[in-house]
Amino acid sequence: MAKEELPGVLILDIGGTQGVLENLAALLKKHFHLITMKEFLENKEEMSKKIQSVFVFECRPTIDRELLESLPNLKVIGNSGVGVDHLDLKMISSFGVKVTNTPHAVADPTADIGMALMLASARRLVEGCQIAVSPDTKHFAVDWLGVEVTRATLGIIGMGSIGYKVAQRARAFNMRILYHNRNRRRKEEEEAVGAHYCEKMEDLLQQSDFVMLIVNLTPETHRLIGKKELSLMKPTATLINISRGAVIDQDALVEALQSKVIRAAALDVTYPEPLPRDHPLLKLNNIIITPHIGTATVQAIHMMAEEAIANILAVLNGQPIPSEVFPK
Ligand SMILES: O=C(O)[C@H](O)CO
């Protein structure tokens, strides 16, 4: 089919290296007439009529009313990633436009990052790397002992598909697994990973050696973990966040880490991202911060794009939509 006959997709803010861009573009071009933001802005009148879908890569770019008003034939926004907190779902839906996401592609790589952060923080891996390359060669491992993950208690807050994948992995470390979630998992699912349900989040916080946050960011989970919750945790416990930065009250976390209310934290997400270079979290030595890399793998980027494309095509062809996100 000629490029012009394919449905138009506007590609929003593809960052990264040329290689990533080219691979994604090639994938999208199989199904769509690909229109970049630059092309759209240069020839708005002609392009706006062609665009039936928007492909959002990375969770950062947002879609404002002005853009929606300029796309009369837009039917769907295909988000590449599971979190849609950067999109105003109600406003988008008022334009009759659907939103989709990619929960399947993100689950394994994000669970891996959760495990990686837990292990790295437990065994003080980043400090170890710094010591290994420092000019001072007189170091004694006994001066910076870590803690063990094996047989420790892991509390998972948010037991969706990523949470469940974390539980599967944690089972291989013989961890005791607690979880708190809006809905309790089926008995067979709990038994398969040996997870125990805590109806009250407080119980999980009090008992866990590692607390991992894997909830969506919603008004209900905004600053879910603050001063009170941190004070319920064990002084030997570690907080890991692979969801969204705003799930934690960062000022309260700074205080808790400075005064050793908890042992350590490991964050793949913060607010804002990146943190300003003078942020107090960056000055602490009992924290590890990675720059939102839960899905930053060659495989995940490809799978997320495929999942997003399948969603977009389903909307355009009037077929059942694999992963639609609805405004609450
Ligand atoms: O929401 C997600 O899937 C990840 O955070 C990637 O942005």
Side-chain angles (χ1 to χ4, degrees), residues 59 81-83 106 244 292 295:
C59 61
V82 71
V106 305
R244 288 292 183 263
H292 201 146
T295 53

Side-chain angles (χ1 to χ4, degrees), residues 285-302:
N285 60 7
N286 50 350
I287 193 164
I288 294 177
I289 303 179
T290 49
H292 201 146
I293 54 170
T295 53
T297 68
V298 174
Q299 293 84 348
I301 296 294
H302 190 89

Side-chain angles (χ1 to χ4, degrees), residues 8 28 46 49 51 60 69 90 161 163 180 183 193 196 203-204 209-210 219 263 280 282-283 292 299 309 324:
L28 284 158
E46 192 197 329
K49 294 196 189 80
I51 294 167
R60 281 150 213 156
E69 279 168 353
K90 276 201 185 123
S161 46
H180 173 74
N183 308 310
V193 291
H196 304 279
D203 293 340
L204 176 148
D209 300 305
F210 298 90
R263 171 189 169 269
L282 301 181
K283 297 190 169 55
H292 201 146
Q299 293 84 348
I309 290 170
E324 182 172 358

Side-chain angles (χ1 to χ4, degrees), residues 18-290:
Q18 250 350 78
V20 172
L21 191 144
E22 278 161 10
N23 286 344
L24 279 189
L27 213 60
L28 284 158
K29 277 180 186 164
K30 284 190 199 158
H31 307 277
F32 304 102
H33 171 190
L34 191 78
I35 299 162
T36 62
M37 201 59 175
K38 187 167 170 281
E39 285 165 340
F40 169 63
L41 293 175
E42 277 167 6
N43 192 355
K44 239 177 166 177
E45 199 165 328
E46 192 197 329
M47 292 299 171
S48 63
K49 294 196 189 80
K50 292 192 170 145
I51 294 167
Q52 295 179 33
S53 59
V54 176
F55 177 88
V56 184
F57 175 69
E58 276 293 337
C59 61
R60 281 150 213 156
T62 194
I63 292 191
D64 57 20
R65 183 173 284 279
E66 198 190 329
L67 179 65
L68 290 171
E69 279 168 353
S70 64
L71 299 175
N73 297 321
L74 183 67
K75 297 194 175 50
V76 53
I77 293 168
N79 189 62
S80 181
V82 71
V84 289
D85 47 285
H86 54 296
L87 299 173
D88 183 342
L89 296 180
K90 276 201 185 123
M91 191 261 291
I92 293 169
S93 157
S94 74
F95 283 81
V97 172
K98 294 185 186 299
V99 174
T100 63
N101 69 351
T102 63
H104 305 291
V106 305
D108 279 316
T110 311
D112 287 348
I113 272 293
M115 295 303 287
L117 285 174
M118 178 163 65
L119 285 163
S121 176
R123 302 304 300 271
R124 301 174 67 170
L125 209 69
V126 174
E127 281 168 275
C129 291
Q130 284 161 354
I131 287 169
V133 298
S134 89
D136 180 0
T137 51
K138 286 198 202 86
H139 288 292
F140 302 102
V142 285
D143 291 335
W144 49 282
L145 294 179
V147 292
E148 288 191 24
V149 161
T150 306
R151 286 180 291 279
T153 299
L154 169 64
I156 298 173
I157 300 182
M159 190 64 136
S161 46
I162 301 172
Y164 199 73
K165 298 265 184 189
V166 168
Q168 286 174 330
R169 285 155 173 73
R171 190 175 168 75
F173 285 82
N174 280 329
M175 296 188 87
R176 175 174 169 243
I177 302 164
L178 308 177
Y179 78 98
H180 173 74
N181 201 40
R182 263 173 317 179
N183 308 310
R184 188 169 177 169
R185 283 267 180 172
R186 290 201 317 272
K187 202 162 171 275
E188 312 83 82
E189 290 172 323
E190 286 182 353
E191 280 171 6
V193 291
H196 304 279
Y197 181 61
C198 290
E199 198 178 334
K200 292 197 191 122
M201 188 173 77
E202 289 73 16
D203 293 340
L204 176 148
L205 292 171
Q206 280 167 340
Q207 294 178 52
S208 300
D209 300 305
F210 298 90
V211 173
M212 199 179 296
L213 304 173
I214 324 181
V215 291
N216 289 327
L217 176 61
T218 64
E220 291 76 43
T221 60
H222 186 255
R223 302 206 173 183
L224 182 70
I225 302 295
K227 191 175 171 139
K228 178 173 150 255
E229 291 71 26
L230 289 160
S231 71
L232 291 173
M233 289 172 66
K234 296 182 189 181
T236 50
T238 301
L239 180 66
I240 300 137
N241 189 7
I242 55 170
S243 59
R244 288 292 183 263
V247 168
I248 299 179
D249 174 346
Q250 278 180 184
D251 294 339
L253 180 62
V254 169
E255 240 182 84
L257 290 170
Q258 278 169 344
S259 51
K260 306 275 171 15
V261 169
I262 62 170
R263 171 189 169 269
L267 315 175
D268 186 43
V269 284
T270 56
Y271 68 88
E273 284 176 6
L275 287 173
R277 297 298 90 180
D278 60 350
H279 194 281
L281 277 178
L282 301 181
K283 297 190 169 55
L284 300 169
N285 60 7
N286 50 350
I287 193 164
I288 294 177
I289 303 179
T290 49

